[in-house]
């Protein structure tokens, strides 16, 4: 499937009960992927997605929806996605989300998921609903790529930093009907300003100040080997090069998280900026207790 717009939603194909497993978590980010962390054990309630038959969320604790792709406005960019029934992470066997992107040279491209469903009244584009993830410490996932990835981040928009959340979704001054006098994320007619989610950047092959800002993740490298990576909410912060409106206490509001996303940024270290083309397989995404 090819996308040329800014957002492509991927909805669940089936919603039946599946045989699901996830992997145990540890207290530190894991990037070496040499062995399974204590093997794999059942953790169905904490599973987000395993992509066995579809791209949907495991329907637990009010979670519901499907993974989607989004990207910058580069006109020549292409992004495709599918469920790869052959390739899968070590925890659950075949089935993974396969995303390939080329040509996104403005800020990059990403795949993400909203934790709670939107109304379908306008094609699924109503404001997002915050999800209470405060009982979890973060998110873990298995991932591999067609080659070493650079400029990778995992972001967690919340009620205060997601321009599709209720605080901001009606703040487009170019539309006289959809106006908001007290919104904190401002739309200037062409782009959103001051909406910067809390995130973690992987410093190895990362951008600019990532090695300083995210020292705990400086050895995390995504490459051709399936690797399990853990990202903890407590480590998330706004991108030092793209700060914006801050959530209360300048930290991720874990009881009001709207989504998660894995983004590959354009290369800002060259002039002009250049696309970082990528191909990834994502599997067994789960919350960390």
């Amino acid at each position: 499937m090819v996308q040329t717009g800014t957002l492509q939603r991927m909805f669940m194909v089936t919603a039946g009960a599946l045989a699901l497993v996830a992997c145990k978590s540890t207290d530190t980010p894991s990037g070496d992927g040499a062995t399974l962390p204590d093997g794999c054990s059942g953790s169905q309630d904490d599973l987000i997605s395993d992509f066995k038959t579809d791209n949907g969320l495991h329907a637990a604790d009010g979670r519901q929806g499907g993974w989607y792709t989004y990207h910058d406005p580069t006109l020549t960019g292409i992004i495709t996605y599918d469920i790869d029934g052959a390739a899968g992470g070590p925890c659950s066997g075949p089935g993974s989300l396969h995303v390939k992107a080329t040509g996104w040279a403005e800020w990059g491209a990403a795949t993400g998921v909203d934790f709670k469903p939107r109304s379908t009244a306008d094609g699924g584009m109503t404001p997002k609903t915050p999800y209470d993830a405060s009982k979890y410490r973060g998110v873990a996932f298995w991932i591999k790529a067609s080659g070493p990835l650079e400029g990778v981040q995992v972001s967690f928009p919340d009620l205060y930093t997601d321009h599709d959340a209720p605080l901001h979704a009606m703040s487009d001054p170019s539309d006289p009907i959809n106006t908001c006098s007290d919104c904190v994320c401002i739309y200037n007619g062409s782009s959103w300003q001051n909406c910067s989610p809390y995130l973690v950047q992987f410093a190895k092959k990362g951008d600019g100040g990532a090695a300083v800002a995210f020292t705990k993740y400086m050895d995390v490298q995504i490459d051709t080997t399936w690797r399990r990576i853990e990202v903890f909410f407590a480590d998330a912060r706004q991108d030092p090069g793209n700060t914006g409106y801050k959530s209360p206490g300048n930290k991720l509001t874990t009881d009001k998280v709207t989504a998660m996303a894995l983004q590959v940024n354009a290369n800002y270290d060259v002039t002009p900026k250049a696309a970082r083309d990528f191909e990834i397989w994502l599997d067994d995404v789960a919350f960390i207790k």
Side-chain angles (χ1 to χ4, degrees):
M1 301 173 220
V2 179
Q3 169 163 340
T4 56
T6 57
L7 178 66
Q8 181 168 8
R9 298 210 162 270
M10 302 168 61
F11 295 99
M12 291 183 65
V13 178
T14 62
L18 304 175
L20 307 172
V21 294
C23 295
K24 292 181 180 179
S25 62
T26 57
D27 288 333
T28 58
S30 51
D32 58 13
T35 60
L36 297 181
D38 300 324
C40 294
S41 61
S43 184
Q44 187 173 11
D45 290 343
D46 304 312
L47 184 73
I48 296 173
S49 298
D50 74 349
F51 309 110
K52 279 187 174 296
T53 58
D54 59 44
N55 66 299
L57 273 70
H58 176 52
D61 195 30
R63 300 191 294 272
Q64 183 180 347
W67 288 74
Y68 50 80
T69 60
Y70 63 94
H71 52 74
D72 66 42
T74 306
L75 295 178
T76 56
I78 297 174
I79 190 164
T80 64
Y81 62 87
D82 57 41
I83 299 301
D84 189 330
C91 279
S92 63
S96 60
L97 179 63
H98 174 222
V99 182
K100 185 175 183 179
T102 58
W104 304 107
E106 181 63 29
W107 54 256
T111 182
V113 67
D114 301 337
F115 291 128
K116 302 199 75 171
R118 297 192 190 194
S119 168
T120 58
D122 66 347
M125 299 305 293
T126 53
K128 294 181 184 180
T129 302
Y131 174 75
D132 186 354
S134 59
K135 63 183 176 182
Y136 301 113
R137 295 188 299 150
V139 170
F141 54 87
W142 285 84
I143 189 170
K144 74 171 184 176
S146 59
L149 281 188
E150 302 181 355
V152 181
Q153 69 181 44
V154 177
S155 59
F156 302 103
D158 62 13
L159 177 66
Y160 304 97
T161 60
D162 192 328
H163 66 248
D164 286 330
L167 282 179
H168 321 300
M170 303 295 285
S171 59
D172 181 351
S174 66
D175 186 338
I177 298 177
N178 295 334
T179 58
C180 175
S181 60
D182 58 354
C183 290
V184 294
C185 290
I186 302 170
Y187 190 74
N188 67 6
S190 61
S191 63
W192 288 95
Q193 306 297 310
N194 301 321
C195 276
S196 181
Y198 288 83
L199 56 88
V200 163
Q201 291 182 352
F202 302 150
K204 184 167 285 189
K205 300 288 186 179
D207 288 315
V212 175
F214 303 100
T215 55
K216 194 173 179 181
Y217 300 82
M218 75 182 312
D219 292 326
V220 177
Q221 171 72 79
I222 298 171
D223 56 25
T224 58
T225 303
W226 277 109
R227 301 179 188 277
R228 185 175 184 270
I229 295 174
E230 296 180 338
V231 176
F232 292 94
F233 294 146
D235 300 325
R237 57 177 295 180
Q238 289 183 330
D239 182 347
N242 183 35
T243 59
Y245 180 80
K246 302 182 186 308
S247 298
N250 190 20
K251 62 181 180 179
L252 177 67
T253 308
T254 57
D255 64 343
K256 296 179 178 64
V257 175
T258 58
M260 71 166 287
L262 189 146
Q263 179 172 313
V264 179
N265 297 317
N267 187 355
Y268 289 82
D269 295 332
V270 297
T271 304
K273 292 177 292 184
R276 283 190 172 118
D277 298 342
F278 66 90
E279 183 176 15
I280 61 170
W281 290 260
L282 182 68
D283 201 9
D284 294 319
V285 185
F287 284 112
I288 302 169
K289 287 185 176 179

